Amino acid sequence: MATPNRSALLTRLHKVLKKHYKPVEPAMRPVLEHLLFACCLENAGYEAAEQAFQILKTGFFDWNEVRVSTARELAETVPMLPEPLAAMTNVKRLLYSIFESTYSFDMENLKKLNLGQAVQKIEKFEGSTPFIVAYATQMTLGGHAIPVDRGTRDALVVVGVIAENEAKDGHVSGMERAIPKSKGIEFASLLHQLGAEMVTNPYSPAFHKLLLEIAPEAKDRLPKRQPKPKTPPPAPEPKVKETKEPAAKAKPVVADKKKPSAEKAAADKPAPEKPAAEKPAKAAEKPSAKKPADKPAERKQAAAKRTVEPKKPVKKPAPKKPAAALSKRKPR
């Protein structure tokens, strides 16, 4: 897009925005507070950013307590921001980087430096985005820079000021030349309100009407709702093959009133008597002595069993020596 056309679009943009928005006068703050306020203001409206900044300033003991708190804890205190976690992450990283470089939170010495040197120092701090650097340059260092965040770039793409590939760089070239420094703060506040509405309410018919008033040919570039992806139908459950022989259903047991149950019959039945201990087999095999054998072979066996074994001779103890023999021993 040619530069004259861009300048004409920016001039027209400024006139239309003045009809719908009121410029915001900047508050007098130290350099550090301007940097932290810019973290809250990025992609958010002025009213929400002011509320979030006051919570950080008065809800904590000092900036060091904010520094040592986690980003998630800080984000829970500022739900009014559209992107609280991203904003508080930049706040925490910025405070850490400033404290590690200066061991304090005093940034007023940046006003004494040359504009280029002061901007380079701010850019080296972790958590500082192009929007934060441009806001601090315009509000505290006396430079001419118009802060542009993601919502503002998207709005400028819709109205045709910049192309989509330029929006990825985060900087709109030629804007400072088209807008004089005397109107820079006013234009920046009006443009930021347009970008904040692009983030919070991009599909509003009133907002689309405003964009078409700026650029009537931007009808095809208006933000549109993306259709929700269709959820695929659930997969059918696999069919289970039935076996040829289905399991027999168990028949319900119906108690017969006439017949007593098996447990009751077992309880009423007397316990069986214990059988007598069986005699050893040898005793059963021995025939009675009184009963004569029928056969001669059996008679001989019975006679052999009746034979008594001869008794073993018993040894007699040795006779004791008489007491007289013991007295003949010599004394020791």
Side-chain angles (χ1 to χ4, degrees):
M1 185 180 295
T3 304
N5 294 336
R6 178 171 297 183
S7 300
L9 280 173
L10 289 172
T11 304
R12 179 179 176 80
L13 176 64
H14 190 192
K15 291 179 180 180
V16 175
L17 292 179
K18 287 179 69 174
K19 296 179 183 178
H20 297 273
Y21 302 111
K22 293 181 180 180
V24 179
E25 295 182 3
M28 300 299 294
R29 294 189 176 98
V31 177
L32 176 64
E33 293 187 5
H34 273 299
L35 292 173
L36 299 179
F37 179 76
C39 295
C40 301
L41 185 62
E42 188 169 3
N43 297 319
Y46 278 97
E47 185 177 354
E50 191 67 38
Q51 293 177 5
F53 178 76
Q54 292 301 325
I55 289 173
L56 295 178
K57 188 177 180 179
T58 60
F60 295 86
F61 182 74
D62 55 6
W63 293 121
N64 189 57
E65 186 180 358
V66 177
R67 178 181 70 91
V68 297
S69 301
T70 63
R72 191 168 295 278
E73 290 174 353
L74 297 175
E76 291 176 355
T77 62
V78 289
M80 69 288 299
L81 297 179
E83 299 175 357
L85 185 58
M88 294 302 105
T89 300
N90 290 335
V91 167
K92 181 178 174 62
R93 293 177 63 191
L94 193 60
L95 287 174
Y96 252 105
S97 183
I98 291 172
F99 186 80
E100 290 294 328
S101 60
T102 62
Y103 295 101
S104 67
F105 298 112
D106 187 10
M107 302 291 295
E108 296 304 310
N109 58 347
L110 290 178
K111 294 181 179 180
K112 301 177 183 179
L113 299 177
N114 188 16
L115 179 61
Q117 294 177 351
V119 170
Q120 288 179 0
K121 279 198 169 185
I122 295 175
E123 288 176 347
K124 289 180 181 179
F125 293 143
E126 293 183 5
S128 61
T129 61
F131 177 86
I132 297 173
V133 174
Y135 185 85
T137 301
Q138 186 184 57
M139 296 299 176
T140 63
L141 303 179
H144 181 39
I146 298 175
V148 178
D149 56 8
R150 175 175 54 82
T152 305
R153 291 195 301 269
D154 293 344
L156 292 177
V157 170
V158 173
V159 297
V161 175
I162 59 175
E164 292 183 0
N165 57 352
E166 292 178 299
K168 296 179 182 178
D169 300 336
H171 179 71
V172 181
S173 61
M175 186 177 291
E176 285 77 9
R177 292 192 301 268
I179 304 298
K181 183 179 179 180
S182 59
K183 297 181 180 180
I185 295 177
E186 178 186 285
F187 177 78
S189 66
L190 297 173
L191 182 63
H192 183 77
Q193 294 178 61
L194 179 70
E197 194 167 357
M198 185 72 178
V199 174
T200 58
N201 198 11
Y203 309 114
S204 171
F207 180 64
H208 287 186
K209 185 178 179 180
L210 172 60
L211 294 175
L212 293 175
E213 186 179 353
I214 299 169
E217 71 281 0
K219 188 175 181 180
D220 297 336
R221 296 191 295 268
L222 293 176
K224 299 176 182 178
R225 296 182 184 273
Q226 296 181 357
K228 295 181 180 180
K230 296 181 180 180
T231 55
E237 297 181 0
K239 295 182 179 180
V240 181
K241 294 182 179 180
E242 297 181 356
T243 55
K244 294 181 179 179
E245 298 178 359
K249 295 183 180 179
K251 296 181 179 180
V253 179
V254 180
D256 193 358
K257 296 182 180 180
K258 297 180 180 180
K259 296 181 180 180
S261 60
E263 295 180 358
K264 189 174 181 181
D268 298 342
K269 188 176 180 181
E273 297 181 358
K274 294 183 179 180
E278 294 182 359
K279 296 181 179 180
K282 292 182 180 180
E285 291 178 358
K286 290 182 180 180
S288 175
K290 296 180 181 179
K291 187 177 180 180
D294 296 338
K295 296 181 182 180
E298 293 180 358
R299 292 176 186 175
K300 291 180 181 182
Q301 291 179 1
K305 289 181 180 180
R306 285 196 300 271
T307 56
V308 180
E309 296 181 357
K311 296 182 178 180
K312 295 181 180 180
V314 180
K315 292 182 180 182
K316 295 181 178 182
K320 296 182 179 180
K321 292 181 181 183
L326 296 173
S327 64
K328 291 180 180 181
R329 292 183 180 180
K330 294 180 181 183
R332 293 181 181 179

